[in-house]
């Protein structure tokens, strides 16, 4: 039993074990099979994962290479690497694909391949509609293609996705500036400056708008800020130079425009502007050199020929001036200035017949051109067409009663015509008197013959021929008089009375609008001073206050004025101040005092004032002419002063001190020969 159990036990256990082992073996075999299969799949996955990782790393490397090439302005290389990045990884996410397409579109945009860039931007937006940079870049492409409204729509989407996107605000302002929506453009530039206060681009863009609206001092302020942030921003130098030129600050204009030209960025427009500044500074040779450069860069630049003609006229090179003006008129036959000047030159050359066609054409284009009527009158007078010359002079005085040259010429012509009429009338009276005397003598002779026995008719009288006696005075008619009837011109028109000012302006200031659109304020107390007033809103300017500082700031005047209102129903009043240097008779700057409810901060220093506007942008206005070293020393002193609480300067004492400083030392006897 025990042996049987022993045999049974192991047999039984063995069989169970065998059975169990069989099942377990099958399970283990299944597991091993599955494991092998999983191992094979896992190995494939690992290989595939390695391949994907390698592809991803290669894509990332191409993206980095494309970005580096884009930063180096190697745009063709950038496009090549972005093409490799897009083709090397087919499993990249839509977000990454959108970014690569966007960067490739930027490279094509830089190469001015705008249609290809537009295609990339469209694909990027299709891949990721919530990527704001693509909308911004596509908006720039629309703007380059002249589709400004579509560009604004894209910039709006970019701002909606990223509300503090400064570049989109700046670019939307560019599009609004293209559409001449200056008010909204300035607001967008303000927002761009708020988010990027240390970027020069929005300042330069806003400066261009100020220059387009003839707010030249505001333009100078923005361009100066842009230059302080980016010293090599040549576009800002060009804009500031153009603004200086418009304000007749020709030396400053030459300085800024020369910076652009010396950097190799000189275009025909820049050379032309500097030539105009040289012309006003009477540096004619330098102006001619710049105009020659303009004609070399742009052979069809009409203004260059016109200005060179003016210079030759100033230099009394009349033939060369006529040639240049003829070229200018050939390029633009509606240039009234060139037509009038060529007419004046022909008049100087004694070609009166050639003057009239030019002046006639000029008056057709501009019927209110006063000097054209004056030149026409001179030409007609030389051609002995006096009555037509008188009409031209009177037309000139009708347009400008205070035109002294026309008044003098008309007065002289009237005097000559009156003298001629008096001569004609005297000659006619003498002829009539002689005829009357002859008739009286004939009548007396006839009466004497009749008393002696009567007179007999001659054969000629019987045949109806003339009598031997004189004709009666009534027989001498005006038709038989060979002299023309005298023409007596009207008297010279009197000067109109001075205009009466209904409301006396504050402190004697009167506001005038110049022909170029600039608004100035004048005062009889300062006859050689014209104070510019720039408008920043709707309405007309109004002088509010005038005060002259004393003490340290002696000779500095502040003219406060109303610069208009901005807004609809809740219009914000704009109050600005023109800072005037009375010694140099010029406006130093125009700065804000109050913009709506927000007041600007004025910080007075020893020789300058720092004005911080409502956006927190400071601008330092130097009140004295100082060197750079002096300005650097004064900048270290940040003490704020009160301009209205300055002690009076003892002029007598300061003059004595000046004389003591200038007093020469007495020379001894042996120093006199030397």
């Amino acid at each position: 039993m025990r042996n049987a159990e022993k045999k049974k036990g192991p047999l039984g256990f063995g069989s169970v074990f065998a059975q169990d082992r069989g099942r377990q073996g099958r399970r283990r075999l299944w597991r091993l099979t599955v494991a092998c299969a999983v191992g094979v799949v896992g190995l494939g996955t690992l290989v595939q994962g390695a391949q994907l990782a390698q592809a991803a790393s290669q894509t990332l490397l191409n993206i980095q290479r494309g970005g580096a090439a884009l930063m180096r302005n190697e745009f063709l290389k950038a496009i090549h690497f972005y093409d490799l990045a897009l083709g090397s990884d087919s499993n990249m996410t839509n977000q990454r694909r959108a970014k690569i397409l966007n960067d490739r579109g930027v490279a094509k945009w830089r190469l001015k391949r705008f249609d290809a860039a537009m295609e990339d931007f469209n694909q990027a937006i299709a891949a990721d509609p919530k990527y704001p940079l693509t909308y911004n870049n596509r908006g720039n492409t629309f703007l380059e293609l002249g589709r400004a409204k579509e560009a604004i729509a894209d910039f709006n989407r970019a701002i909606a996705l990223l509300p503090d996107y400064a570049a989109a605000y700046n670019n939307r302002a560019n599009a609004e500036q293209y559409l001449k929506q200056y008010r909204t453009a300035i607001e967008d530039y303000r927002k761009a400056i708020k988010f990027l206060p240390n970027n020069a681009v929005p300042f330069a863009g806003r400066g261009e708008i100020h220059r387009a609206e003839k707010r030249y001092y505001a333009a100078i302020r923005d361009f100066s800020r842009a230059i302080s942030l980016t010293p090599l921003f040549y576009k800002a130098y060009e804009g500031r130079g153009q603004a200086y030129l418009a304000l007749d600050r020709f030396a400053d204009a030459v300085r800024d425009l020369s910076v652009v030209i010396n950097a190799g960025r000189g275009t025909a427009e820049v050379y032309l502007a500097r030539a105009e500044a040289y012309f006003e500074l009477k540096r004619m040779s330098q102006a001619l050199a710049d105009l020659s450069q303009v004609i070399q860069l742009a052979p069809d630049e009409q203004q260059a020929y016109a200005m060179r003609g003016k210079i030759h006229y100033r230099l009394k090179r009349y033939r060369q001036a006529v040639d240049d003006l003829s070229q200018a008129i050939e390029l633009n036959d509606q240039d009234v200035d060139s037509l009038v000047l060529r007419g004046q030159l022909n008049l100087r050359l004694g070609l009166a017949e050639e003057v009239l066609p030019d002046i006639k054409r000029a008056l057709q284009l501009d019927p209110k051109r006063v000097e054209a009527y004056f030149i026409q009158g001179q030409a007609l007078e030389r051609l002995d067409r006096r009555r037509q010359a008188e009409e031209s002079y009177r037309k000139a005085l009708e347009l400008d009663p205070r035109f002294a040259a026309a008044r003098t010429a008309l007065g002289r012509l009237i005097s000559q015509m009156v003298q001629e009429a008096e001569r004609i009338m005297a000659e006619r009276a003498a002829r009539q008197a002689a005829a009357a005397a002859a008739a009286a003598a004939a009548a007396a002779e006839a009466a004497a013959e009749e008393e002696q026995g009567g007179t007999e008719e001659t054969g000629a009288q019987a045949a109806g021929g003339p009598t031997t006696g004189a004709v009666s005075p009534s027989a001498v008619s005006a038709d038989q008089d060979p002299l023309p009837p005298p023409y007596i011109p009207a008297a010279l028109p009197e000067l109109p009375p001075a205009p009466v000012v209904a409301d006396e302006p504050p402190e004697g200031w009167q506001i005038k609008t110049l022909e170029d659109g600039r608004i100035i304020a004048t005062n009889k107390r300062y006859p050689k001073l014209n104070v510019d007033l720039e408008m920043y809103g709707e309405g007309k300017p109004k002088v509010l206050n005038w005060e002259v500082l004393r003490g340290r700031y002696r000779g500095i005047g502040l003219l406060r004025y109303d610069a208009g209102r901005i807004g609809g129903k809740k219009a914000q009043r704009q109050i600005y101040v023109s800072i005037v240097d009375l010694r140099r008779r010029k406006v130093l700057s125009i700065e804000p005092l109050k913009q709506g409810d927000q007041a600007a901060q004025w910080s007075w220093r020893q020789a300058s004032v720092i004005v911080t506007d409502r956006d927190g942008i400071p601008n330092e206005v130097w009140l004295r002419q100082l060197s750079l070293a002096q300005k650097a020393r004064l900048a270290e002193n940040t003490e704020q002063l009160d301009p209205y609480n300055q002690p009076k300067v003892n002029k007598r004492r300061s003059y004595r001190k000046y004389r003591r400083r200038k007093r020469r030392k007495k020379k001894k006897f042996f120093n006199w020969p030397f």
Side-chain angles (χ1 to χ4, degrees):
M1 291 288 299
R2 185 174 299 175
N3 293 333
E5 288 178 1
K6 286 182 181 181
K7 291 179 183 180
K8 186 178 178 179
L11 181 61
F13 178 77
S15 62
V16 171
F17 178 79
Q19 292 177 359
D20 292 341
R21 186 167 183 171
R23 294 176 183 172
Q24 190 174 8
R26 286 193 298 270
R27 289 176 183 174
R28 287 182 179 178
L29 182 60
W30 171 251
R31 289 175 184 173
L32 182 60
T33 305
V34 171
C36 291
V38 171
V40 172
V41 173
L43 182 60
T45 303
L46 288 176
V47 172
Q48 186 178 6
Q51 293 175 351
L52 291 175
Q54 184 178 3
S57 62
Q58 187 65 32
T59 301
L60 182 60
L61 180 61
N62 288 326
I63 292 173
Q64 292 175 351
R65 288 176 176 176
L70 190 62
M71 293 297 292
R72 295 192 304 267
N73 295 333
E74 297 175 353
F75 305 121
L76 292 176
K77 286 186 178 181
I79 293 172
H80 171 69
F81 286 124
Y82 287 135
D83 290 341
L84 293 178
L86 290 171
S88 60
D89 189 359
S90 59
N91 296 321
M92 69 173 59
T93 61
N94 288 334
Q95 288 79 7
R96 171 167 287 188
R97 181 176 295 276
K99 292 180 180 180
I100 297 173
L101 288 168
N102 173 75
D103 293 346
R104 190 176 70 176
V106 170
K108 293 178 180 179
W109 184 88
R110 292 293 183 87
L111 291 172
K112 300 187 182 303
R113 300 177 182 175
F114 299 123
D115 293 333
M118 181 71 72
E119 184 178 352
D120 278 349
F121 293 140
N122 290 335
Q123 293 179 12
I125 290 172
D128 185 5
K130 294 184 178 181
Y131 189 45
L133 274 69
T134 310
Y135 289 106
N136 175 71
N137 295 331
R138 192 175 70 172
N140 285 332
T141 309
F142 277 130
L143 191 57
E144 288 289 343
L145 295 173
R147 299 157 64 178
K149 293 183 178 179
E150 297 173 83
I152 291 175
D154 270 353
F155 295 137
N156 291 338
R157 294 189 189 98
I159 292 171
L161 292 171
L162 190 62
D164 58 349
Y165 194 4
Y169 283 111
N170 180 84
N171 296 331
R172 188 171 70 177
N174 291 337
E176 291 163 345
Q177 183 178 356
Y178 180 84
L179 296 174
K180 295 186 178 181
Q181 300 174 1
Y182 294 135
R183 195 71 64 189
T184 54
I186 284 181
E187 291 301 318
D188 277 343
Y189 278 130
R190 282 189 59 207
K191 293 177 182 178
I193 291 170
K194 177 183 176 181
F195 294 122
L196 286 176
N198 295 323
N199 194 305
V201 175
F203 287 102
R206 191 171 66 176
E208 288 293 340
I209 292 182
H210 286 315
R211 189 163 68 92
E213 292 200 316
K214 301 185 185 304
R215 294 192 292 265
Y216 298 114
Y217 288 96
I220 290 171
R221 184 169 59 245
D222 278 342
F223 286 133
S224 299
R225 181 64 179 173
I227 291 169
S228 66
L229 293 172
T230 306
L232 298 180
F233 197 177
Y234 298 110
K235 200 67 178 175
Y237 279 106
E238 179 183 350
R240 191 172 69 174
Q242 297 278 7
Y244 281 137
L245 184 62
L247 291 174
D248 298 341
R249 296 170 60 174
F250 304 116
D252 295 331
V254 168
R255 185 190 65 241
D256 277 355
L257 296 173
S258 297
V259 170
V260 181
I261 291 172
N262 295 336
R265 306 294 182 91
T267 61
E269 184 180 1
V270 176
Y271 277 105
L272 184 64
R274 193 173 72 168
E276 184 178 353
Y278 279 139
F279 173 75
E280 297 295 340
L281 292 172
K282 298 182 180 179
R283 296 161 64 175
M284 301 302 180
S285 59
Q286 293 166 302
L288 287 173
D290 277 353
L291 290 174
S292 300
Q293 189 69 27
V294 173
I295 293 171
Q296 183 178 354
L297 293 172
D300 295 334
E301 181 58 52
Q302 185 265 347
Q303 295 182 15
Y305 291 102
M307 189 180 299
R308 195 165 70 175
K310 291 180 183 179
I311 294 175
H312 287 313
Y313 172 71
R314 288 281 186 90
L315 298 175
K316 298 183 179 181
R317 303 171 182 169
Y318 298 135
R319 294 293 181 184
Q320 297 179 18
V322 169
D323 293 339
D324 278 336
L325 291 172
S326 299
Q327 182 67 26
I329 293 169
E330 184 179 349
L331 292 170
N332 181 14
D333 61 349
Q334 296 186 354
D335 185 2
V336 179
D337 293 336
S338 297
L339 288 167
V340 172
L341 185 56
R342 189 170 71 172
Q344 188 173 358
L345 282 166
N346 286 326
L347 188 65
R348 282 183 175 271
L349 293 172
L351 306 174
E353 288 288 352
E354 298 184 12
V355 174
L356 298 179
D358 283 343
I359 299 302
K360 182 180 179 180
R361 174 62 177 163
L363 290 175
Q364 288 175 352
L365 296 170
D366 186 4
K368 295 184 178 181
R369 193 62 176 259
V370 179
E371 61 269 25
Y373 286 105
F374 174 66
I375 296 171
Q376 186 183 53
Q378 287 181 310
L380 291 170
E381 189 176 358
R382 291 191 183 183
L383 294 172
D384 204 20
R385 296 157 63 176
R386 294 186 176 182
R387 295 190 65 177
Q388 296 178 0
E390 179 197 357
E391 294 176 2
S392 296
Y393 289 144
R394 290 188 184 277
K395 185 64 177 178
L397 288 176
E398 180 183 343
L399 294 173
D400 185 4
R402 301 184 183 278
F403 189 10
R407 182 171 292 276
T408 302
L410 180 60
R412 186 194 69 252
L413 183 61
I414 289 175
S415 177
Q416 293 175 358
M417 295 175 73
V418 168
Q419 291 177 6
E420 183 70 16
E422 290 176 350
R423 184 184 64 80
I424 293 173
M425 294 174 66
E427 290 182 2
R428 177 173 293 180
R431 288 173 61 87
Q432 291 178 354
E445 184 179 354
E449 290 179 355
E450 188 176 350
E451 289 177 358
Q452 293 177 1
T455 58
E456 297 179 357
E457 282 186 339
T458 63
Q461 289 175 338
T467 61
T468 56
V471 186
S472 63
S474 60
V476 182
S477 63
D479 296 336
Q480 295 173 343
D481 194 348
L483 294 175
Y487 169 77
I488 301 177
L492 185 69
E494 297 182 356
L495 280 171
V500 179
V501 181
D503 299 328
E504 186 66 22
E507 306 289 342
W509 289 96
Q510 296 183 359
I511 298 176
K512 300 179 182 179
T513 302
L514 302 180
E515 294 182 357
D516 59 356
R518 288 170 54 193
I519 302 174
I520 62 171
T522 59
N523 196 318
K524 293 181 179 179
R525 295 178 59 188
Y526 314 102
K528 296 184 179 180
L529 176 64
N530 294 330
V531 180
D532 289 270
L533 306 178
E534 294 180 346
M535 295 300 294
Y536 292 84
E538 301 295 333
K540 296 183 178 180
K542 181 180 179 181
V543 176
L544 302 176
N545 186 26
W546 165 254
E547 56 184 333
V548 180
L549 303 181
R550 63 181 186 180
R552 184 186 301 274
Y553 308 111
R554 184 178 59 184
I556 300 298
L558 303 177
L559 184 65
R560 296 181 178 86
Y561 69 97
D562 189 345
R565 286 166 171 76
I566 297 177
K569 296 181 179 180
K570 298 181 180 179
Q572 296 182 349
R573 188 183 184 187
Q574 308 291 310
I575 299 178
Y576 276 72
V577 179
S578 292
I579 304 175
V580 183
D581 188 343
L582 296 175
R583 295 174 177 174
R584 291 184 283 169
R585 294 189 295 272
K586 64 180 294 187
V587 177
L588 299 178
S589 183
I590 298 178
E591 298 295 333
L593 182 65
K594 192 174 182 181
Q595 298 167 302
D597 297 333
Q598 300 176 341
Q601 297 180 0
W602 288 55
S603 177
W604 294 85
R605 303 296 174 87
Q606 291 186 2
S608 65
V609 57
I610 300 176
V611 183
T612 305
D613 62 8
R614 60 179 176 178
D615 297 325
I617 307 302
N619 182 46
E620 186 170 12
V621 181
W622 290 95
L623 308 176
R624 306 296 184 205
Q625 285 184 307
L626 302 174
S627 64
L628 294 177
Q630 290 173 325
K631 289 181 180 180
R633 286 197 300 268
L634 291 175
E636 298 175 357
N637 188 358
T638 59
E639 179 186 2
Q640 297 187 13
L641 304 176
D642 184 3
Y644 306 105
N645 189 21
Q646 291 292 313
K648 291 184 178 181
V649 177
N650 190 337
K651 297 183 180 179
R652 188 178 185 86
R653 182 178 178 182
S654 62
Y655 178 73
R656 288 175 179 173
K657 186 177 180 180
Y658 170 78
R659 292 299 300 168
R660 284 198 302 269
R661 189 167 60 249
K662 292 292 184 181
R663 189 176 300 162
R664 295 181 178 180
K665 295 181 180 180
K666 293 183 178 180
K667 291 187 176 181
K668 296 181 181 180
F669 176 78
F670 294 103
N671 298 128
W672 283 109
F674 306 100

